[in-house]
């Protein structure tokens, strides 16, 4: 989102971002943002307005308070800190929770501004990933709320093709839906290629280490391969499941897993340069499989092989692009076998990487993204304004 806002500003648009206080993934708000400090900032010429929220903490109850507090509290700075003359259209970059869209809905009706929702996380389906029963009363209530919130969009934009099926079949939405996959930041297109053989095969997982990412299954894979001393698993990132993964690696006394922690995006190039192949995994969940993790685009843009233990859209892309190997989610036995096969077939590594790069350029280019985003926003604005005069 940082890159999208910055790039759109560079292209001659005026961009203002309404967001919360930073507290992800640590769950703690840094001191420099407490006591009403840094509520308005400038980031790469983009005005950033920050709303009060309750920090996430480490418990599910804290997460719920975090979600609710932003949805309600952010309405105030939306009305008082962002003059309505400063914008013509509202774009909500929707991750979790769906309630983050509420300020946008308020502004839509109060100021007659078109609302575009860019959906990156399906609700209420995402609740199933934290153990909430999709047949229960609470889930049904959130489903009704989610349907109402999504229905307020003048245009629904989806980051994964599979999302449309859920929005149509499960939520019965009639909104216009447009597919717009994200691109990778420029630095991922300038990655060092590891063509010459090395003493070790370096496999890199980069990104959020949450409950649904299935990184524990990568650790289980590493345990099966712990006698292969020349295969090293690099885990780069942080999240709610990080400590569990570290504990699991300690339990197995693994020397073939290295936890590098979380790093700013500028430093990620070092880890991408090091990689002989990238790892992507996800827990087995039908709804989760609809999602295309953003890391996949950066992996492909880097022009290196991708090894997946994941279902759904990502599985299809790895096979369709022929950029590596992929097995079903949570099948770490099969994943270990594919890693061994990958190591043996070193002559295919360059071909996999070239296929990855080609697929990225044909399907996820930055140029195409902004051309399409511009078309979506302009078309939606015109349509809404024309309907006002009917």
């Amino acid at each position: 989102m940082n890159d999208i806002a910055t790039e759109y500003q560079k292209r001659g648009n005026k961009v203002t971002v309404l967001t919360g206080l930073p507290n992800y993934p640590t769950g703690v708000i840094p001191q420099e943002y407490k006591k009403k400090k840094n509520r308005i900032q400038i980031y790469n010429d983009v005005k950033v307005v920050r709303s009060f929220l309750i920090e996430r903490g480490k418990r599910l109850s804290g997460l719920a308070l975090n979600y609710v507090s932003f949805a309600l509290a952010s309405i105030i700075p939306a009305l008082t800190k962002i003059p309505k003359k400063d914008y013509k259209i509202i774009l909500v970059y929707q991750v979790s929770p769906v309630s983050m869209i509420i300020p946008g809905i308020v502004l839509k009706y109060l100021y007659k501004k078109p609302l575009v929702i860019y959906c990156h996380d399906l609700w209420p389906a995402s609740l199933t990933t934290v153990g909430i029963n999709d047949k229960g009363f609470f889930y049904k209530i959130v489903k009704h709320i989610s349907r109402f919130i999504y229905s307020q969009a003048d245009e629904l934009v989806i980051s994964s093709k599979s999302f449309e099926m859920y929005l149509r079949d499960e939520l019965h939405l009639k909104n216009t839906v447009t597919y717009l996959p994200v691109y990778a930041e420029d630095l991922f297109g300038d990655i060092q290629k590891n063509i010459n053989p090395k003493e070790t095969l370096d496999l890199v997982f980069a990104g959020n280490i949450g409950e649904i990412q299935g990184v524990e299954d990568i650790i289980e894979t590493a345990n099966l391969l712990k006698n292969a001393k020349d295969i090293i698993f690099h885990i780069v990132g942080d999240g709610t499941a990080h400590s569990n993964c570290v504990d699991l690696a300690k339990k197995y006394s693994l020397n073939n897993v290295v936890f590098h922690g979380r790093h700013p995006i500028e430093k990620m190039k070092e880890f991408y340069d090091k990689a002989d192949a990238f790892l992507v995994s996800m827990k087995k969940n039908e709804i989760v499989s609809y999602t295309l993790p953003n890391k996949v685009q950066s992996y492909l843009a880097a022009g290196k092989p991708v090894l997946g233990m994941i279902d759904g859209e990502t599985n299809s892309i790895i096979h369709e692009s022929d950029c590596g190997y992929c097995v079903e989610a949570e099948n770490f036995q099969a994943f270990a076998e594919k890693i061994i096969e990958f190591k043996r077939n070193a002559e295919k590594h360059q071909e996999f990487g070239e296929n990855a790069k080609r697929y990225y350029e044909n399907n996820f280019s930055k140029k195409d993204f902004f051309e399409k985003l511009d078309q979506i926003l302009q078309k939606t604005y015109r349509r809404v304004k024309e309907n006002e005069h009917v």
Side-chain angles (χ1 to χ4, degrees):
M1 187 62 227
N2 293 25
D3 200 72
I4 292 173
T6 299
E7 186 66 26
Y8 216 63
Q9 177 86 14
K10 285 180 182 176
R11 290 169 180 251
N13 303 284
K14 185 174 183 179
V15 179
T16 302
V17 175
L18 173 66
T19 187
L21 303 177
N23 69 126
Y24 179 84
T26 62
V28 178
I29 297 171
Q31 283 298 323
E32 60 265 33
Y33 289 94
K34 292 184 177 181
K35 297 180 180 179
K36 298 185 179 181
K37 290 184 288 187
N38 290 316
R39 289 300 195 264
I40 297 181
Q41 297 176 300
I42 301 298
Y43 174 84
N44 291 342
D45 295 328
V46 175
K47 181 181 179 180
V48 180
V49 177
R50 295 191 180 276
S51 165
F52 164 82
L53 50 69
I54 297 171
E55 60 188 19
R56 303 162 66 95
K58 298 294 184 182
R59 301 181 181 217
L60 195 57
S61 58
L63 185 62
L65 288 171
N66 176 266
Y67 285 175
V68 173
S69 63
F70 175 78
L72 299 179
S74 58
I75 295 173
I76 297 172
L79 297 175
T80 61
K81 303 294 185 184
I82 310 175
K84 65 178 181 180
K85 63 179 176 58
D86 280 9
Y87 58 97
K88 295 168 66 176
I89 194 164
I90 304 158
L91 171 66
V92 179
Y93 191 92
Q94 181 251 314
V95 284
S96 283
V98 72
S99 58
M100 68 185 295
I101 301 169
I102 290 174
I105 296 173
V106 172
L107 295 176
K108 168 184 172 170
Y109 286 106
L110 193 61
Y111 295 148
K112 302 292 189 291
K113 305 283 188 178
L115 173 64
V116 176
I117 298 173
Y118 192 6
C119 179
H120 285 259
D121 205 356
L122 288 175
W123 274 67
S126 292
L127 290 174
T128 62
T129 65
V130 293
I132 293 176
N133 185 356
D134 63 358
K135 300 293 189 288
F137 179 72
F138 176 73
Y139 187 91
K140 290 177 181 177
I141 293 295
V142 178
K143 186 173 182 178
H144 284 295
I145 294 171
S146 301
R147 182 186 295 122
F148 170 77
I149 289 175
Y150 283 130
S151 70
Q152 302 309 299
D154 295 298
E155 179 84 16
L156 265 173
V157 183
I158 53 175
S159 57
S160 173
K161 289 179 182 177
S162 306
F163 282 10
E164 183 168 9
M165 179 173 61
Y166 179 85
L167 294 171
R168 299 293 191 208
D169 297 347
E170 290 294 320
L171 299 185
H172 308 294
L173 292 171
K174 305 298 183 185
N175 308 59
T176 306
V177 175
T178 304
Y179 171 57
L180 180 63
V182 297
Y183 61 93
E185 287 90 341
D186 292 337
L187 67 92
F188 295 114
D190 184 28
I191 300 300
Q192 176 182 309
K193 304 299 184 288
N194 299 335
I195 298 173
N196 299 321
K198 302 187 304 181
E199 290 184 6
T200 60
L201 182 72
D202 292 296
L203 307 177
V204 173
F205 173 94
N208 184 39
I209 306 175
E211 306 302 327
I212 65 170
Q213 273 73 33
V215 181
E216 294 96 333
D217 295 317
I218 293 178
I219 307 303
E220 293 285 359
T221 305
N223 184 46
L224 293 176
L225 298 174
K226 63 182 175 182
N227 292 325
K229 305 296 184 184
D230 53 354
I231 300 177
I232 307 298
F233 294 79
H234 299 270
I235 311 297
V236 187
D238 198 1
T240 55
H242 182 270
S243 59
N244 291 342
C245 293
V246 172
D247 290 344
L248 190 60
K250 287 180 179 177
K251 173 186 172 183
Y252 291 140
S253 301
L254 299 181
N255 295 317
N256 59 344
V257 179
V258 182
F259 293 94
H260 296 275
R262 187 169 179 245
H263 294 274
I265 191 168
E266 297 79 13
K267 190 173 174 57
M268 292 305 296
K269 186 178 185 301
E270 295 179 22
F271 299 103
Y272 275 61
D273 283 341
K274 186 180 187 65
D276 294 301
F278 296 110
L279 305 177
V280 58
S281 59
M282 201 73 83
K283 283 300 193 184
K284 185 171 282 297
N285 180 296
E286 181 184 0
I287 302 303
V288 167
S289 71
Y290 291 164
T291 304
L292 178 61
N294 289 356
K295 67 165 64 71
V296 174
Q297 280 92 325
S298 64
Y299 286 175
L300 295 172
K304 291 186 178 182
V306 181
L307 305 176
M309 180 170 34
I310 189 169
D311 297 330
E313 187 144 345
T314 305
N315 189 302
S316 298
I317 285 174
I318 292 173
H319 284 109
E320 183 181 323
S321 63
D322 192 24
C323 68
Y325 299 121
C326 193
V327 302
E328 65 180 351
E330 300 184 7
N331 192 344
F332 47 85
Q333 178 69 54
F335 196 44
E337 293 169 3
K338 282 297 181 185
I339 289 173
I340 292 296
E341 182 180 346
F342 175 77
K343 183 175 181 297
R344 286 174 180 160
N345 294 334
E347 72 281 357
K348 294 202 69 174
H349 293 187
Q350 185 172 349
E351 179 186 344
F352 283 150
E354 291 170 353
N355 290 346
K357 188 75 169 182
R358 187 182 307 112
Y359 191 88
Y360 174 81
E361 291 172 347
N362 290 338
N363 294 275
F364 304 115
S365 80
K366 183 174 182 176
K367 178 177 178 290
D368 289 346
F369 176 91
F370 280 102
E371 285 180 359
K372 193 166 185 180
L373 177 62
D374 210 43
Q375 290 170 7
I376 290 168
L377 296 180
Q378 292 195 37
K379 177 190 69 175
T380 305
Y381 181 81
R382 287 195 301 268
R383 187 179 72 241
V384 170
K385 291 305 174 183
E386 286 169 2
N387 289 340
E388 285 179 2
H389 298 295
V390 173

